[in-house]
Amino acid sequence: MSRRISVLVALMVATMSTCSLKAAEAPFTPDPGFVSLFDGKTLKGWKGPEAGFAVENGDLVSVKGGKGNLLTEKEYENFTIKFEFKLTPGANNGLGIRTPLMTEGSLHLLGTELQILDDTADQYKELKPYQYHGSVYGIVPAKRGSLKPLGEWNQQEVTFQGRKIKIVVNGQIIVDADLDEATKSGTLDGQEHPGLARVKGHVGFLGHGDRVDFRRIQIKEFPTK
């Protein structure tokens, strides 16, 4: 290969690498009709324990060893929320929806919690069906098998309108339920869930001491009927 061709190839590779780097660094743009809940740099717009969550490389991270609830300052009633998440082995977290603003406490009872969990971990083999990933905790079991292998990014979408909730993970519908219908004979876990009566509240992530990474968090509100 001549020196001139070698130089041209090197320049092409460098240009391609630069373009790839710029593409990777491009800021997140929400989908049409959605607004971003996370700026990729700070926890502006959120309330929660300082030691429980952090921003790393543009991602929102539930810190290993840290606990507590990171919730939006704003309340939401009817909405679709989208986000991506990456699990670590044995990770346990949750998505709180229509919750009170409590940075500590049992929001699976006082609000509504959707489980975020590494379903493949040995320690979770004997869980109840309503405890696996995507389930409305204690209320509605999710269909399993939608998660990608550990270390890969998953996409989740939750639509909450009135009493109906629909959850999609990596393009698969894993929950499509009416909460009133699901609890007409009582809750699956046998506990009182006063949070189910809430018509609006905060949304956010419920840390349980395990690392989980989140990004591209966006929400779209629907008019109240």
Side-chain angles (χ1 to χ4, degrees):
M1 182 182 294
S2 70
R3 178 178 176 79
R4 177 177 293 179
I5 294 176
S6 298
V7 171
L8 287 173
V9 170
L11 287 172
M12 290 174 63
V13 171
T15 301
M16 292 173 63
S17 298
T18 301
C19 291
S20 298
L21 181 60
K22 288 181 178 179
E25 293 175 347
F28 167 62
T29 301
D31 294 339
F34 285 76
V35 296
S36 178
L37 290 178
F38 173 55
D39 63 15
K41 301 176 181 179
T42 69
L43 296 180
K44 182 180 179 181
W46 298 81
K47 294 284 188 180
E50 293 184 2
F53 293 84
V55 180
E56 296 183 10
N57 301 318
D59 300 334
L60 174 60
V61 175
S62 178
V63 178
K64 183 175 178 59
K67 297 183 180 180
N69 309 318
L70 183 70
L71 302 170
T72 57
E73 293 178 347
K74 182 178 176 178
E75 290 187 294
Y76 298 91
E77 185 171 349
N78 299 306
F79 57 87
T80 292
I81 184 170
K82 297 181 181 181
F83 62 96
E84 296 184 4
F85 65 96
K86 182 168 60 175
L87 296 167
T88 55
N92 182 11
N93 203 285
L95 175 69
I97 51 180
R98 288 186 186 164
T99 76
L101 188 57
M102 298 172 55
T103 57
E104 296 182 1
S106 301
L107 293 187
H108 72 289
L109 300 175
L110 301 177
T112 300
E113 178 178 0
L114 311 182
Q115 183 74 300
I116 296 176
L117 190 77
D118 169 23
D119 284 355
T120 66
D122 287 341
Q123 67 261 42
Y124 301 139
K125 285 183 177 179
E126 304 299 326
L127 293 182
K128 301 294 185 181
Y130 56 75
Q131 292 177 302
Y132 286 104
H133 181 83
S135 297
V136 183
Y137 194 94
I139 306 297
V140 181
K143 186 181 298 183
R144 298 183 64 187
S146 63
L147 291 173
K148 294 182 180 179
L150 290 178
E152 294 186 20
W153 287 100
N154 297 272
Q155 296 80 40
Q156 183 153 325
E157 178 178 325
V158 178
T159 299
F160 205 3
Q161 285 188 286
R163 309 304 298 158
K164 295 183 179 180
I165 185 167
K166 182 178 181 180
I167 303 170
V168 180
V169 174
N170 297 322
Q172 299 183 42
I173 299 174
I174 62 171
V175 168
D176 191 355
D178 183 301
L179 295 180
D180 290 337
E181 184 69 20
T183 57
K184 66 181 182 180
S185 299
T187 61
L188 292 180
D189 63 3
Q191 296 192 69
E192 294 293 330
H193 285 254
L196 290 178
R198 295 178 62 91
V199 296
K200 67 183 302 185
H202 306 271
V203 301
F205 301 106
L206 317 182
H208 300 304
D210 303 311
R211 178 171 178 128
V212 181
D213 292 31
F214 301 96
R215 69 181 185 184
R216 299 178 179 175
I217 309 165
Q218 55 183 316
I219 196 166
K220 177 173 68 175
E221 296 183 79
F222 302 117
T224 301
K225 294 182 180 180

